[in-house]
Every structure is written in structure tokens, then in C-alpha cells.
Amino acid sequence: MIPIEEARTYVMDRCRPQPTVGTDVADALGLVTSADVIANESLPPFANTAMDGFAVRSADLDTVPVRLEVIETIAAGHNPTREVGLGQASRIMTGAPIPDGADAIVMVEKTSVDGDVVTIEAQVEPGNHIRPAGDDVKEGDLVFPAGTRLSAGHLGVLCSLGFQKIDTFPRLRVGVISTGDELVDDGGVLEPGQIRDSNRRTLLSLLSEDAFLPVDLGLVADNELAIEEALSQGAQDCDAVITSGGVSMGDFDYVKAVLDRIGDMRWMQIAIKPAKPLAFGTISGTPIFGLPGNPVSSMVSYELFARAGLRSMMGFREPIRPIIKGVAAKSMRRKADGKIHYVRVIAEQENGTTVVYPVSGQGSHMLASMARSNSLAVLPDGEGCEAGEQVDVLLLD
Ligand code: AMP
Ligand code: MG
């Protein structure tokens, strides 16, 4: 067995960032910028009002109440046509440009209107409720540095600044293949010995959650030729391929045999539980992750190796999820076996502390308990931990 760090370093060394591209902002959610984003406009682009109210000369309000002549109404999206003179005011709506002559806004709640005269009750400072041009972003500012993961807010800023395209690492196309003679996916009655394929849906969904582009490459029987065909085709069509099943010690575990023959493969026995076996290789430079077939093992292996490698290919500066400190709500006993154990838990925030509750059903085939948990407690080799002790936690969502 090898330590997890060695396995991960091996994988990450072969998962290099892809050449960067121009991406439509509309398609950029979750991608990582490959160049600094510099503002070529200011935001807001012009001084405007933060309130519905009246644009005034603040000096006119030296003694209040004061009556001012209303000379026009300025709606958002429309330009003022008149300068506000002494004793005058313009009615103005949130977002509308400030008219010449005015230096402050009085909110409508502090006024009363009678025909074309407004009475103002309170004084205001110059600049009151005015949002100056460039208040948020100034032309020439560094908006986001290279390496930023684009969230909804980032995309909004890019739209505000008029960007249509942005330099990013491309979204990775990742193929997913399930292998196993026992697997079916048609929803029909199970024949003796058959089970339904769950890994493919789980892995495709994890890929979506992580902003990769999942490509369903289907179900392949435990047949060396069929697996070879599927792997070489997948390596051609995708930036990376994930398989599940067929990498253990069984008589029909052909994935690792095929990968070894047509690719450059390392079969690893990693000192972790679950997800001990991993076949990682490349076919003509395309990374192939041969994950174990047990449903929980395939998810944990995805988290620890595939996700990290794929994020590194997609330009993430921090491809590996950080481990945080939590407190065990109950004891989590284990036996020393030379492995790190990843225990399914529900982590909850309680008075600023991450408290972890182990869930029942820790077998690597028990996918329901994985689905019910939101985190993995990381137990180093040894006897485990007692209730109240500190424990390392990998928050999965
Ligand atoms: P393997 O890694 O091929 O030896 O499979 C290990 C266990 O995982 C076996 O019990 C398989 O039936 C099960 N398994 C493999 N692939 C899948 C899959 N795609 N969905 C659900 N279970 C699977
Ligand atoms: Mg199998």
C-alpha cells in the first residue's frame, strides 16, 4: 500500500492545466479565469441616484421647510433635459442620472408635493444618495485576478462591465463508463445476479456539481475487447475519462489490464478505506481514472483523486478540498490497519463548532448512508476517537 499523498501526487503530476480559451460569459459559470480581468468601463458608468426622490441644490435647503419648483421628472434610462437652478428641483427615480446643477437627492419620503411645487422638510449634505461614477469599479481597475473561479456574482460584474467573452481554462469534457456484467440500467425486472448501475449517475452528477461537462459513455460488460474499445474511444472524445469497476483483484477485472496494455498505467493500492484500489493512467495523454466499483468507494475515490486531478486540469489554484477541524459527537472506533479511514458523517455547525455525527452503515456498498451524510471524518491509522475529541473533517457540500 502507498500513502494517499503519493497516489495524489502521481495523479496530479499527470493532470496539467489545459490550454486556455475565450469563453462566452454566458457559458463561464464555475470556470477559472486564465488572465487578469481589467475594467474597460467604470461601474456605475455615470453618477445616479440611489433613491426615488428629488434632485436638489443642497444649499437651497439651508433653511427648511423649503418650497422648490419641480421642473421635470427623470426616469431610469432617460437623460435629464434641464439644469436644476436656484429654487428648483427635479423629480428623479432610482438609477436615473443626476441632472446638472443638482448636488444631492432628497428621498421622496421626506417631501410632499403639491402640483409642481415640492416641500422639503429636512436638510441634506452635498452628495446625499448620489452614487458617483466608478463608485464600485473604476476603468483600469483589476476586477478579478487570473485564477478566479467564476461564480454567479462574478458573471454579473462581467456583464455590468460589458464583457461578452472572457479568458478561461476550458470546461473539461469528462467521460464516464460503468463496467460490470452484473449491471443493468433499463429499469426492468432484475434477472438473478443483476444489479442496477448507480455509479454512472452518481459520477456524472458529481461532475456537474463540480462544473465539469459530464459525458455519458454508457455501460460496458466485463469483456476485454469491449472495454478496450470504450476506453480508446473515450480517450479520443473527452479530456479525461472515469471508469468504475474492474480495478480490483477479481478474475474479470479487465479495466486495469486494458489500461496497462493500451495506456501508460499505474495500478495503486492506497492506504485508505474505502477506495483502496485505483488504476490511473493516460491514453495518448488523456487521463483515465479507473475507480473501484463499490458505490461508496467510487465516490470517495472521485473526491480524493479524480476531482483533484480534474480541477487541476481546469486551472483551479486549490484543487484539493481543505480539511477542517471538527468535534466528534459520538465515539468513532476503528482498528489499526495501516490505513486512513474516511467515515461517513453528518457535520453540523453548533455555536461556531463543526460537530460530526457518524451515520450508521459504513460498508463500501452502502450508498444510502453516503447519500445521507454530508461529510467524511478522516480518521488516521489507530484506534479512532472518543466523543468530544477533535477530528479532521472533509465537508463535501
Ligand atoms: P468491482 O470493482 O468491479 O469488483 O465491483 C465491486 C462491487 O461494486 C461489486 O459488488 C459490483 O457489483 C459493484 N459495482 C460495480 N460497478 C457498479 C455500478 N456501476 N453501480 C453499482 N454497483 C457497482
Ligand atoms: Mg466488476
Side-chain angles (χ1 to χ4, degrees):
M1 288 194 301
I2 60 170
I4 176 173
E5 291 77 18
E6 181 182 333
R8 194 141 58 186
T9 302
Y10 183 86
V11 168
M12 306 282 279
D13 281 350
R14 287 155 185 80
C15 291
R16 292 292 171 199
Q18 302 284 94
T20 65
V21 291
T23 301
D24 286 344
V25 168
D27 298 328
L29 183 63
L31 297 181
V32 176
T33 56
S34 57
D36 289 349
V37 177
I38 308 292
N40 40 23
E41 294 178 4
S42 288
L43 190 61
F46 52 87
N48 66 90
T49 171
M51 292 284 169
D52 297 321
F54 289 85
V56 300
R57 293 169 170 262
S58 55
D60 277 351
L61 279 51
D62 277 351
T63 50
V64 284
V66 63
R67 289 158 57 82
L68 302 174
E69 178 201 358
V70 179
I71 55 171
E72 69 170 333
T73 297
I74 311 162
H78 297 268
N79 224 19
T81 60
R82 299 189 52 189
E83 180 173 343
V84 176
L86 280 176
Q88 296 182 324
S90 287
R91 198 177 172 83
I92 191 166
M93 308 302 148
T94 303
I98 307 298
D100 289 342
D103 68 351
I105 304 296
V106 181
M107 63 198 287
V108 71
E109 291 85 341
K110 302 229 161 102
T111 67
S112 54
V113 181
D114 183 10
D116 56 5
V117 171
V118 58
T119 302
I120 295 177
E121 309 289 346
Q123 294 180 329
V124 292
E125 295 292 317
N128 191 54
H129 296 321
I130 292 180
R131 307 188 283 209
D135 202 18
D136 190 5
V137 178
K138 289 190 179 48
E139 187 179 340
D141 276 359
L142 170 62
V143 193
F144 310 127
T148 300
R149 176 191 168 276
L150 294 168
S151 67
H154 293 107
L155 298 187
V157 171
L158 293 173
C159 287
S160 306
L161 291 169
F163 286 95
Q164 302 279 331
K165 275 193 178 269
I166 186 95
D167 291 331
T168 69
F169 295 92
R171 198 178 300 280
L172 280 194
R173 285 171 55 82
V174 186
V176 178
I177 301 171
S178 285
T179 72
D181 278 355
E182 71 278 35
L183 301 175
V184 291
D185 65 354
D186 60 5
V189 176
L190 292 175
E191 300 291 334
Q194 290 185 332
I195 61 164
R196 304 186 198 279
D197 175 11
S198 63
N199 291 350
R200 198 152 37 103
R201 181 55 46 213
T202 308
L203 291 166
L204 290 165
S205 307
L206 287 170
L207 290 166
S208 296
E209 281 182 3
D210 286 329
F212 306 114
L213 185 72
V215 180
D216 187 351
L217 298 179
L219 197 54
V220 180
D222 289 320
N223 170 303
E224 203 162 335
L225 262 181
I227 289 174
E228 174 171 346
E229 173 80 23
L231 280 182
S232 7
Q233 194 61 47
Q236 255 180 49
D237 297 346
C238 298
D239 302 313
V241 175
I242 298 178
T243 67
S244 70
V247 296
S248 299
M249 307 285 274
D251 289 352
F252 308 102
D253 286 341
Y254 292 128
V255 171
K256 71 176 202 271
V258 169
L259 248 188
D260 202 23
R261 192 154 48 69
I262 66 169
D264 169 16
M265 198 262 319
R266 180 166 171 198
W267 185 64
M268 295 178 256
Q269 295 273 80
I270 307 160
I272 58 176
K273 183 183 173 184
K276 183 169 75 158
L278 172 70
F280 175 80
T282 53
I283 298 178
S284 315
T286 303
I288 316 285
F289 296 86
L291 311 186
N294 270 308
V296 176
S297 308
S298 75
M299 283 186 82
V300 171
S301 190
Y302 171 86
E303 167 65 29
L304 298 178
F305 306 107
R307 181 178 185 273
L310 297 173
R311 277 168 63 92
S312 152
M313 291 174 78
M314 216 160 79
F316 281 84
R317 298 269 167 97
E318 286 168 0
I320 300 171
R321 215 190 290 269
I323 285 181
I324 63 159
K325 296 288 178 198
V327 171
K330 288 186 181 167
S331 74
M332 287 181 269
R333 308 300 306 166
R334 52 158 293 178
K335 294 208 164 56
D337 57 5
K339 299 180 201 165
I340 296 172
H341 287 197
Y342 293 87
V343 176
R344 277 150 265 175
V345 295
I346 294 172
E348 285 180 359
Q349 290 301 316
E350 294 174 13
N351 306 319
T353 302
T354 304
V355 181
V356 303
Y357 297 84
V359 302
S360 67
Q362 294 285 338
S364 59
H365 59 298
M366 295 171 149
L367 188 55
S369 68
M370 183 71 178
R372 278 194 296 268
S373 61
N374 64 6
S375 303
L376 296 169
V378 186
L379 302 184
D381 193 22
E383 304 297 318
C385 70
E386 295 302 331
E389 281 180 9
Q390 201 178 62
V391 64
D392 284 344
V393 189
L394 208 46
L395 296 177
L396 295 179
D397 62 5

